[in-house]
Amino acid sequence: MQFRDLKAQYKALKTEIDAGIQAVIDSSAFILGKPVAELEDKLAAYVGRKHCVACGNGTDALQLALMTWGIGPGDAVFTSDFTYFASAGTASILGAAPVLVDIDLATFNMSPAALEQQIQRVLAEGKLAPKVIVPVDLFGQPADYDSILPIAEKYGLKVLEDGAQGFGGSIRDKRACSFGNMSTTSFFPAKPLGCYGDGGAVFTDSDEEDARLRSLRAQGKSPVDKYDNREIGMNSRLDTLQAAILLPKFRAFADHELDDVNRVADWYTQRLQNRFVTPTVLPGFLSSWAQYTILLEDRAARDAMQARLKGQGIPSMVYYPRGLHQQEAYRWMDLCDDLYPNTVEATKRVLSLPMHPYLTESDVEQICKVLLG
Ligand SMILES: *Cc1c(COP(=O)(O)O)cnc(C)c1O
């Protein structure tokens, strides 16, 4: 059994994917060939943004967005403490200060109450200028934008949605990667929409931001002349090959895979909800199930269960074993566990189960038998 079965997906889409790859090789347009622009148009239309700018990976997407806003030293960037490192690391790389925010244990997403406390603390300290909130759509469920956007408005902050895990999710009729001022996603192979290597994208409704992003992903070039460099940028484009792979994968995603993972999640929840804390999807929210994560009683129970699953050939993962405030790279910030009670609780109790659109009900039955046995 696979944690995320990319081979089953390839088998289902092989004809289209192989043809797409071959067409790119035949064209020799490996950098910013036609499939890249086609993908950008399709993804922007799908999420409901005016522009999509594809780039090298989800980390670069976050960095490009922050660079577009000129974020740097002296600026505070608020993000979740319980996330992949890039949500905060990209602020640090630009010399800005990540300010880590505790989560709600029910959704694993940024707690709006903790966010407001952190904003007020930074304002009271007077050392940093609050600039951006980076909410993370963790495990596929959009963050609580109904609460976060009014807080951003109240304090005059921009919102950058880290939708690396969130692509395909929604709140009512609004799709992930359309919340806040800009959004990013990742096409890392294991994400809800993944390619066969690294890839990412930034979404915006602003023509100016779109132009700046396109410049910054290519060494700060002018719109017309590649060798006229207007500012310091990155080299971060999505390979044409990856765009060609993503086009049929996106078709399958929109056509049935998003429904399929939601069906798999229901199969799990029906079987597990009486014995474990199963994922909470808020009313009106849809998850794209980057992960299906349950909570066990404590660390000992979690570790024992992971070992038991492994003994039966069933892979599971601990996302995440530590909060960002516990990372060595951020030790200098000297943040204590007391500030992050829900993150600390989650790190001890979470267990993510195999999740992908090609899981069958009998696979889920087999996994749940071990969990319930
Ligand atoms: C994967 C991920 C990223 C980074 O994406 P890459 O394509 O791996 O660089 C950023 N944020 C979150 C929440 C992620 O899960």
Side-chain angles (χ1 to χ4, degrees), residues 57-59 62 83-84 86-87 136 162 164-165 186 188 191 199 320:
N57 55 68
T59 306
L62 289 165
T83 176
Y84 182 66
S87 309
V136 180
D162 180 350
Q165 300 181 18
S186 163
F188 181 83
K191 306 282 169 153
Y320 293 94

Side-chain angles (χ1 to χ4, degrees), residues 129-188:
K131 287 280 172 67
V132 183
I133 305 167
V134 182
V136 180
D137 303 338
L138 203 76
F139 301 157
Q141 176 165 218
D144 183 2
Y145 295 98
D146 291 338
S147 305
I148 292 170
L149 294 176
I151 294 172
E153 178 98 32
K154 180 172 167 188
Y155 294 95
L157 309 183
K158 288 197 187 298
V159 172
L160 172 59
E161 173 189 12
D162 180 350
Q165 300 181 18
F167 189 86
S170 56
I171 304 178
R172 298 177 291 276
D173 54 1
K174 199 167 160 54
R175 287 215 169 102
C177 296
S178 75
F179 297 106
N181 305 83
M182 272 198 258
S183 312
T184 63
T185 198
S186 163
F187 305 125
F188 181 83

Side-chain angles (χ1 to χ4, degrees), residues 40-240:
E40 288 178 336
D41 289 348
K42 290 208 159 119
L43 296 187
Y46 180 77
V47 306
R49 286 275 200 200
K50 194 164 173 197
H51 302 287
C52 168
V53 180
C55 64
N57 55 68
T59 306
D60 285 359
L62 289 165
Q63 185 175 333
L64 284 165
L66 293 173
M67 286 170 82
T68 297
W69 288 335
I71 299 304
D75 295 335
V77 176
F78 300 84
T79 194
S80 175
D81 184 45
F82 190 64
T83 176
Y84 182 66
F85 192 73
S87 309
T90 42
S92 298
I93 275 229
L94 295 172
V99 179
L100 305 173
V101 177
D102 200 19
I103 55 167
D104 281 329
L105 203 51
T107 61
F108 304 113
N109 278 330
M110 174 185 279
S111 153
L115 169 65
E116 188 155 19
Q117 278 170 16
Q118 286 288 53
I119 295 170
Q120 288 178 350
R121 190 185 57 73
V122 167
L123 286 170
E125 268 179 18
K127 288 186 193 145
L128 297 165
K131 287 280 172 67
V132 183
I133 305 167
V134 182
V136 180
D137 303 338
L138 203 76
F139 301 157
Q141 176 165 218
D144 183 2
Y145 295 98
D146 291 338
S147 305
I148 292 170
L149 294 176
I151 294 172
E153 178 98 32
K154 180 172 167 188
Y155 294 95
L157 309 183
K158 288 197 187 298
V159 172
L160 172 59
E161 173 189 12
D162 180 350
Q165 300 181 18
F167 189 86
S170 56
I171 304 178
R172 298 177 291 276
D173 54 1
K174 199 167 160 54
R175 287 215 169 102
C177 296
S178 75
F179 297 106
N181 305 83
M182 272 198 258
S183 312
T184 63
T185 198
S186 163
F187 305 125
F188 181 83
K191 306 282 169 153
L193 177 62
C195 62
Y196 288 169
D198 278 308
V202 190
F203 298 89
T204 177
D205 292 319
S206 150
D207 296 346
E208 291 75 32
E209 286 172 356
D210 173 66
R212 185 113 195 257
L213 288 162
R214 285 177 196 285
S215 169
L216 285 169
R217 78 174 170 184
Q219 315 281 359
K221 74 176 180 67
S222 91
V224 291
D225 182 353
K226 187 176 165 184
Y227 300 106
D228 173 13
N229 304 92
R230 303 288 178 83
E231 61 179 323
I232 310 296
M234 301 175 73
N235 174 27
S236 185
R237 297 162 302 208
L238 181 72
D239 285 345
T240 312

